[in-house]
Amino acid sequence: MEYMTGPAAPTQGNILCCQCGIPIPPNPANMCVGCLRAQVDITEGIPKQGTIHFCKQCERYLQPPGTWIQCTLESRELLALCLKKIKASLSKVRLIDAGFIWTEPHSKRLKLKLTVQKEVINGAVLQQVFVVEYIVQSQMCEDCHRIEAKDFWKAVVQVRQKTLHKKTFYYLEQLILKHRLHQNTLRIKEIHDGLDFYYSSKQQAQKMVDFLQCTVPSRSKSSQRLISHDIHSNVYNYKSTFSVEIVPICKDNVVCLSPKLAQSLGNMSQICVCIRVTSTIHLIDPTTLQIAEIDGNTYWRHPFNSLFHPKQLEEFIIMDINRVQEKKKGAGAGARSNKHTLAEAWVQKTSELNTDHQYFCCTHLGHILNPGDLVLGFDLANCNLNDEFANKMNPHHIPDVVLIKKSYDRSKRQRRRNWKLKELDRDREGTDTDDERQYQDFLEDLEEDEAIRKNVNIYRNADIPVESDTDDDGPPRISLAEMLEDLHISQDATGGEGANMMT
């Protein structure tokens, strides 16, 4: 059997290399690859070694002329930084690929493997792979240099509150932690009536001031002091100071409003209780459940003071209590609270149980109080109210007792508290037992007020076992659903995101 075959397929002929004479496929240069590379080096003029500067204190790399950026090893940011060093030399070739060659983090060496192409003799395109090695040299950045020279801050934010209780500061601390406003601070110093935040630039300090004005009712003013002046370049060096004053009202304070302010808030009673301080002051009238919010601007136009300080709280026992229907709204009355219940109560001081002296009062805590409960409040009947607005009030409009909050066993609450908060790393001038007591008051406020908890990161405390809460009459507690796990993530030196440069 015979098979028919078609015409033979054309084959490409080889030519001899003009240098070494070996047969090669035809190309525009008429040379083999080996001879072509021997004749032409397309990497000529590209530096094979270089230096890169690294600050050991803040672990940042220098991006000329004066920018310091944060980069992890073998990251895209560090690769771009290294390529910028030889960007001018790479303009004559075409960069095909670039990547890191692994080096020991301790070696102070960075190696880049580059692949480039270039058109050479008679239109032939030559591709070549080469390595560029960078030596990492230590150099202190300007920010770290100022810190070491003790002339490190350019702006300071002084936060002050003229009050005896630090509840607002503890709340503000948690807001700063949640929004990470503390990361740019050079130093945080705690003094007796506030906090000082130090920054390396005026812009960062201004950002902190704007945050404070949005989160707590406050007012601010700024000033600057000339440090040096270069007459040749006309450059001025200033240190800026921002003073932020928070309103001197805290949660659970009893306040006396001016008649004009009380009327503008819907004809409220002048004697009110502060139930919360967030971006505004939240007030409630314990006799009508009428509520109002006062922002910082309104407060500074119509200022008022707290009638008592927290140490003047007295313990009362509920002898009898009756829930009452809400009173009929008067003309122009404002909104009323749906979370509180109005009640009339007869109370007696626990220090006067051997007497028959009782007090009658209206309270907004009718939803949690029962006969026999202990409650903390202020005695207005037996005190001298040194307040300009209270002294001008009709005595019949001033209540005998204002109840503030239900009293629970503090030691039991601490033992059962299975959560914790984070704190700012700050310099303290000195703490005492009163600060610890105020901090415990703040933790109890978080347990009792859900509205404040929404703005705070609460972490699970693994050291305290989880208990099944079957005590309905016990103190309020925070559910596990509202807690976050306190994770501590540690990255390996050769981990996925890249390791920090080791010293």
Side-chain angles (χ1 to χ4, degrees):
M1 183 181 294
E2 296 181 358
Y3 294 93
M4 300 296 296
T5 58
T11 58
Q12 182 180 14
N14 291 336
I15 63 173
L16 299 180
C17 174
C18 65
Q19 292 291 329
C20 60
I22 64 172
I24 59 171
N27 62 63
N30 294 328
M31 281 191 289
C32 65
V33 176
C35 295
L36 191 60
R37 287 179 176 172
Q39 294 288 328
V40 181
D41 182 13
I42 64 175
T43 65
E44 185 178 2
I46 301 177
K48 305 302 188 294
Q49 284 190 338
T51 58
I52 190 168
H53 296 92
F54 175 74
C55 179
K56 294 188 293 184
Q57 273 76 6
C58 59
E59 297 185 347
R60 294 186 298 175
Y61 292 89
L62 175 63
Q63 179 177 317
T67 306
W68 293 84
I69 59 175
Q70 193 87 27
C71 300
T72 54
L73 287 179
E74 300 188 9
S75 63
R76 289 186 176 183
E77 294 80 7
L78 186 56
L79 180 63
L81 180 63
C82 294
L83 290 176
K84 286 181 180 179
K85 292 275 188 179
I86 55 175
K87 182 178 180 180
S89 304
L90 292 176
S91 60
K92 299 178 181 179
V93 296
R94 182 184 178 189
L95 182 63
I96 301 300
D97 188 26
F100 282 102
I101 299 177
W102 187 85
T103 55
E104 279 284 349
H106 305 272
S107 64
K108 298 291 186 181
R109 297 291 187 275
L110 297 175
K111 292 186 177 181
L112 262 65
K113 182 180 179 181
L114 304 180
T115 304
V116 294
Q117 284 183 352
K118 185 178 181 181
E119 185 176 330
V120 291
I121 304 172
N122 296 329
V125 177
L126 185 62
Q127 179 171 310
Q128 195 167 341
V129 179
F130 65 103
V131 175
V132 180
E133 181 178 353
Y134 290 93
I135 301 175
V136 181
Q137 292 185 350
S138 297
Q139 177 179 330
M140 189 178 293
C141 65
E142 294 180 0
D143 295 336
C144 296
H145 192 275
R146 280 198 295 267
I147 293 175
E148 292 297 323
K150 306 301 181 184
D151 182 28
F152 56 94
W153 62 274
K154 287 292 186 69
V156 59
V157 180
Q158 298 174 339
V159 187
R160 301 290 184 268
Q161 186 183 31
K162 298 175 181 178
T163 182
L164 295 176
H165 207 290
K166 298 181 179 179
K167 284 184 179 181
T168 308
F169 273 106
Y170 292 131
Y171 172 68
L172 184 60
E173 176 184 10
Q174 297 304 316
L175 290 179
I176 292 173
L177 286 168
K178 182 173 183 177
H179 296 278
R180 301 180 182 273
L181 264 294
H182 63 292
Q183 291 185 336
N184 294 327
T185 56
L186 300 175
R187 179 189 178 196
I188 302 176
K189 183 179 180 182
E190 179 180 353
I191 59 176
H192 65 282
D193 60 348
L195 293 171
D196 289 345
F197 298 87
Y198 294 89
Y199 293 91
S200 60
S201 67
K202 183 179 179 181
Q203 290 77 13
Q204 293 174 345
Q206 184 65 56
K207 183 179 179 181
M208 182 65 172
V209 173
D210 295 340
F211 174 78
L212 293 175
Q213 291 180 335
C214 294
T215 53
V216 289
S218 59
R219 62 179 177 181
S220 65
K221 59 182 180 180
S222 62
S223 63
Q224 59 184 11
R225 179 164 57 96
L226 180 63
I227 302 301
S228 62
H229 174 211
D230 188 349
I231 61 175
H232 301 289
S233 59
N234 203 27
V235 173
Y236 293 83
N237 183 19
Y238 290 101
K239 279 192 174 182
S240 303
T241 300
F242 296 87
S243 178
V244 180
E245 183 181 359
I246 303 174
V247 296
I249 304 297
C250 288
K251 184 180 183 298
D252 299 336
N253 283 166
V254 176
V255 299
C256 184
L257 307 179
S258 65
K260 184 177 181 181
L261 179 59
Q263 183 180 10
S264 67
L265 295 176
N267 293 323
M268 288 184 69
S269 171
Q270 288 183 246
I271 303 293
C272 297
V273 178
C274 177
I275 56 175
R276 190 180 304 115
V277 176
T278 54
S279 58
T280 57
I281 304 172
H282 299 254
L283 299 179
I284 188 170
D285 183 353
T287 60
T288 63
L289 297 187
Q290 188 172 334
I291 56 176
E293 294 185 16
I294 299 177
D295 58 11
N297 293 331
T298 305
Y299 175 84
W300 298 117
R301 287 198 304 267
H302 306 282
F304 52 87
N305 297 317
S306 174
L307 299 180
F308 301 92
H309 55 79
K311 291 184 179 180
Q312 292 176 298
L313 275 171
E314 297 187 66
E315 191 176 56
F316 296 85
I317 185 169
I318 302 294
M319 307 305 293
D320 189 19
I321 186 168
N322 294 313
R323 279 76 174 173
V324 297
Q325 297 295 328
E326 292 184 3
K327 298 179 181 179
K328 186 177 179 180
K329 285 188 176 183
R336 292 182 177 177
S337 174
N338 296 324
K339 297 182 179 180
H340 299 84
T341 302
L342 188 63
E344 295 177 345
W346 286 93
V347 298
Q348 186 176 13
K349 290 184 181 180
T350 55
S351 60
E352 298 177 352
L353 290 179
N354 56 346
T355 66
D356 295 332
H357 193 187
Q358 295 185 6
Y359 302 89
F360 175 80
C361 64
C362 291
T363 180
H364 59 290
L365 303 175
H367 57 296
I368 58 174
L369 294 182
N370 295 297
D373 286 345
L374 296 178
V375 61
L376 297 176
F378 294 109
D379 180 8
L380 280 72
N382 300 316
C383 69
N384 182 15
L385 294 177
N386 187 15
D387 184 84
E388 65 169 313
F389 302 130
N391 292 337
K392 298 177 182 178
M393 286 183 63
N394 187 339
H396 298 290
H397 294 164
I398 300 178
D400 292 340
V401 172
V402 176
L403 302 182
I404 300 299
K405 60 181 179 179
K406 189 174 179 179
S407 179
Y408 299 99
D409 184 2
R410 170 165 286 186
S411 60
K412 183 179 180 180
R413 295 183 77 166
Q414 293 181 11
R415 290 195 306 269
R416 299 175 64 182
R417 187 170 292 141
N418 58 348
W419 54 275
K420 59 184 178 180
L421 301 175
K422 291 186 176 181
E423 296 184 11
L424 288 174
D425 185 13
R426 56 188 183 270
D427 301 334
R428 302 175 186 264
E429 285 190 346
T431 58
D432 51 21
T433 56
D434 189 54
D435 290 342
E436 179 62 28
R437 181 187 64 81
Q438 294 183 19
Y439 188 67
Q440 292 299 325
D441 289 343
F442 172 69
L443 298 183
E444 293 174 4
D445 290 343
L446 287 180
E447 294 175 335
E448 297 169 3
D449 195 343
E450 183 181 356
I452 295 181
R453 288 203 301 268
K454 293 179 180 179
N455 301 327
V456 176
N457 284 342
I458 299 172
Y459 296 91
R460 170 87 174 88
N461 189 357
D463 299 333
I464 307 298
V466 179
E467 300 179 6
S468 58
D469 190 9
T470 57
D471 187 7
D472 295 335
D473 296 331
R477 303 179 65 184
I478 299 178
S479 64
L480 287 174
E482 299 179 77
M483 300 181 193
L484 303 173
E485 291 291 339
D486 191 10
L487 299 178
H488 298 281
I489 302 176
S490 59
Q491 297 176 352
D492 190 7
T494 58
E497 291 187 5
N500 295 329
M501 176 63 71
M502 306 295 289
T503 55

